[in-house]
Amino acid sequence: MFDLIVIGAGPGGYVAAIRAAQLGLKVACVEGRGSLGGTCLNVGCIPSKALLKSSGKYAEIKKLSDHGISVGDAEVDVSAMMARKDKIVDDLTKGIGFLFKKNNVELIEGWATIPEAGKVSVDGNIHETKNILIATGSEPVSLPGIEIDEQDVLSSTGALALSEVPEHLVVIGAGVIGLELGQVWARLGAKVTVVEYLDRVLPGIDGEIAKLSQRALSKRGLKFQLGRALKTITKTESGLELTLDRVGKDKVETLSADKVLVAVGRRPVTTGLGLEALGVAANARGFIEVDGAFQTSVPGIYAIGDCVPGPMLAHKAEEDGVACVETLAGEHGHVDYGTVPGVVYTDPEVASVGQTEEALKEAGVDYTVGKFSFMANSRARASGETDGAVKVLADPNGKVLGAHICGACAGDLIAELTLAMTKGATVEEVARTCHAHPALAEAVKEACLDALGRAIHA
Ligand code: NAI
């Protein structure tokens, strides 16, 4: 009899299993993919970051003349780039197997179903357990009538494994996946057109910062067609023919492409577990409903990560998992969903935490804004990475309500403002913290000073 069986070995599930074992619970983790780490390690965060790094190095070579360095023509070997990515994924997924052994987490390989609370079935074998944690993650969605074949019409999985650079890649959706993978292939030489339903990129990100991102990505070669919805994709002799509806206008346009990446969101993976028969409640969009302790509507069955409501982010799933099992073990697990940072790993990066200016306006909250452009930051000037800005939103007492950054290393810079938010620090306190010079982080300090009306270098 196990204390806990975790279903799914993604960042939510495997971290929860290890933490539960550390707390003295007898734990098993079930995984059917044949490799640990879930979407994040196998077909998400890690392979995309590997390709972003490789393609970024290639793009950098072309800009070396700005630094007075000339090199010969650089060439891309896509298969070697993919092999490097695959090796990173392989090493990391194997590393989780090692961590399981080290922490006495039993790995059960196969696809799980839950015949009843307290029982998990894998390949016909029933395993008894006091608690079950569902950490089954999410999968890409498509659009009505659009079939993803991973050859010509791709999800993120196919776009991470192309064997050559397409001539024209059309990306549907200017969200996180569309921009990250669009930039990978644009840097490697593809013409990339991003088609987006809304009249802006990166929905959910502060509008002003999203605009800076779009401008910077356009400068780096991405083409944007906003206010357009994909309707059909037809295979022709020469490639793919797309029809796009102009949103709000009675107009249809066509676009041809070699490959299409459909990046219009993800949905929770909850089918095949037997949840309906058990009476596990889900909301209208299929996410499993849980209480503050991550318990579903069925006692003894818990759920975390992408398959429950909230941002679909690996680090949020990890936090969920740790809080859930700490509570199960009698401790006080807690996640502050108001301070979960999000990062888009494009060049320049986009990072955000807390409320956007649009959300504050809509809620009628009183706030002040502080902004600082990287153009005025000496380290950014020295590096030639001057695109973007830091934007901080504070309440009338100076407490940070939200922070949004577009620029080099934004994903690292956001950590300071995330800590400020979690500790209830004010913009004054951040600004009075000594920041090294010259550093990109000085832009964070200056944005906080700007919120107080006294930026030095603006
Ligand atoms: P998303 O929700 O970020 O963006 C989807 C976009 O597609 C939206 O802008 C939407 O307006 C647009 N769209 C929807 N229907 C359309 C249509 N018919 N025609 C044109 N555009 C249309 O979804 P995405 O990029 O697929 O990412 C899925 C999830 O994965 C997100 O929750 C994201 O947070 C997560 N993720 C996070 C990463 C990170 O943290 N760096 C990296 C990759 C994914």
Side-chain angles (χ1 to χ4, degrees):
M1 164 80 88
F2 290 100
D3 293 313
L4 175 69
I5 294 184
V6 180
I7 302 177
Y14 88 74
V15 169
I18 292 173
R19 181 74 189 116
Q22 284 175 347
L23 290 163
L25 303 189
K26 186 169 157 45
V27 188
C29 183
V30 188
E31 174 57 61
R33 185 191 282 269
S35 143
L36 304 175
T39 297
C40 172
L41 260 78
N42 289 282
V43 287
C45 324
I46 301 303
S48 62
K49 263 79 267 177
L51 292 184
L52 277 160
K53 183 50 109 181
S54 299
S55 62
K57 287 197 178 290
Y58 180 58
E60 230 174 277
I61 289 175
K62 295 191 188 148
K63 290 196 301 188
L64 285 180
S65 59
D66 295 354
H67 295 261
I69 302 167
S70 53
V71 285
D73 282 344
E75 272 180 40
V76 171
D77 178 345
V78 175
S79 63
M81 203 176 272
M82 292 294 166
R84 173 186 176 272
K85 171 210 70 172
D86 293 340
K87 165 104 175 48
I88 292 165
V89 169
D90 197 46
D91 287 352
L92 285 173
T93 55
K94 284 187 181 132
I96 299 171
F98 167 76
L99 291 174
F100 274 2
K101 280 199 187 107
K102 188 180 152 209
N103 288 282
N104 292 323
V105 174
E106 186 172 321
L107 173 62
I108 303 172
E109 290 187 86
W111 298 106
T113 56
I114 309 175
E116 60 186 90
K119 288 195 171 115
V120 172
S121 169
V122 184
D123 292 333
N125 298 318
I126 303 284
H127 303 270
E128 301 212 342
T129 178
K130 288 183 196 147
N131 300 291
I132 297 169
L133 174 56
I134 301 168
T136 44
S138 62
E139 61 189 2
V141 293
S142 189
L143 292 163
I146 306 295
E147 196 202 326
I148 292 176
D149 59 16
E150 301 295 12
Q151 294 299 318
D152 297 312
V153 182
L154 316 165
S155 73
S156 46
T157 303
L160 286 166
L162 289 176
S163 55
E164 55 187 43
V165 180
E167 213 159 290
H168 186 196
L169 171 69
V170 172
V171 175
I172 308 298
V176 188
I177 293 178
L179 297 191
E180 287 185 357
L181 293 179
Q183 190 168 40
V184 164
W185 293 107
R187 282 165 167 173
L188 296 178
K191 175 182 171 194
V192 174
T193 306
V194 182
V195 173
E196 165 59 49
Y197 180 87
L198 302 172
D199 59 2
R200 55 161 292 169
V201 305
L202 294 174
I205 298 280
D206 188 275
E208 217 174 344
I209 291 295
K211 260 197 197 129
L212 292 179
S213 163
Q214 188 189 338
R215 195 185 302 156
L217 291 172
S218 300
K219 254 171 56 182
R220 287 158 181 72
L222 264 72
K223 305 260 178 289
F224 289 93
Q225 294 205 3
L226 304 181
R228 289 162 172 90
L230 174 70
K231 280 288 135 193
T232 61
I233 303 178
T234 314
K235 286 192 188 183
T236 65
E237 272 180 19
S238 56
L240 303 169
E241 200 69 26
L242 283 66
T243 58
L244 311 175
D245 259 358
R246 289 292 300 270
V247 178
K249 296 183 182 154
D250 193 14
K251 197 171 167 199
V252 177
E253 294 172 345
T254 58
L255 191 61
S256 45
D258 303 295
K259 306 275 180 197
V260 175
L261 162 60
V262 180
V264 295
R266 299 179 60 85
R267 66 168 159 241
V269 173
T270 55
T271 48
L273 289 167
L275 299 187
E276 265 178 40
L278 286 165
V280 171
N283 71 17
R285 297 184 55 220
F287 292 89
I288 300 172
E289 282 177 351
V290 287
D291 65 14
F294 303 94
Q295 183 159 255
T296 67
S297 55
V298 177
I301 303 182
Y302 299 79
I304 55 154
D306 281 11
C307 64
V308 304
M312 291 175 138
L313 296 169
H315 47 280
K316 177 264 185 186
E318 286 182 30
E319 297 285 328
D320 280 359
V322 168
C324 174
V325 300
E326 286 183 344
T327 309
L328 269 180
E331 298 198 354
H332 297 284
H334 172 69
V335 185
D336 179 359
Y337 292 105
T339 57
V340 175
V343 180
V344 188
Y345 293 88
T346 44
D347 168 38
E349 292 182 356
V350 177
S352 81
V353 64
Q355 308 260 27
T356 62
E357 186 166 1
E358 291 83 359
L360 293 176
K361 266 194 192 137
E362 201 181 310
V365 174
D366 208 3
Y367 65 92
T368 53
V369 189
K371 286 182 219 166
F372 194 79
S373 164
F374 284 105
M375 188 57 105
N377 174 276
S378 53
R379 180 76 192 279
R381 289 287 273 269
S383 315
E385 295 175 312
T386 50
D387 282 329
V390 178
K391 175 172 176 180
V392 181
L393 300 154
D395 77 7
N397 298 316
K399 281 210 172 163
V400 182
L401 296 170
H404 310 278
I405 307 175
C406 172
C409 303
D412 296 311
L413 297 176
I414 203 72
E416 179 180 10
L417 292 160
T418 305
L419 185 64
M421 280 187 76
T422 55
K423 296 294 161 207
T426 62
V427 281
E428 174 96 37
E429 286 167 317
V430 176
R432 286 194 181 277
T433 304
C434 186
H435 287 70
H437 174 78
L440 296 172
E442 287 176 291
V444 171
K445 172 182 173 169
E446 290 271 12
C448 289
L449 281 173
D450 188 51
L452 298 162
R454 50 174 215 257
I456 302 285
H457 294 93

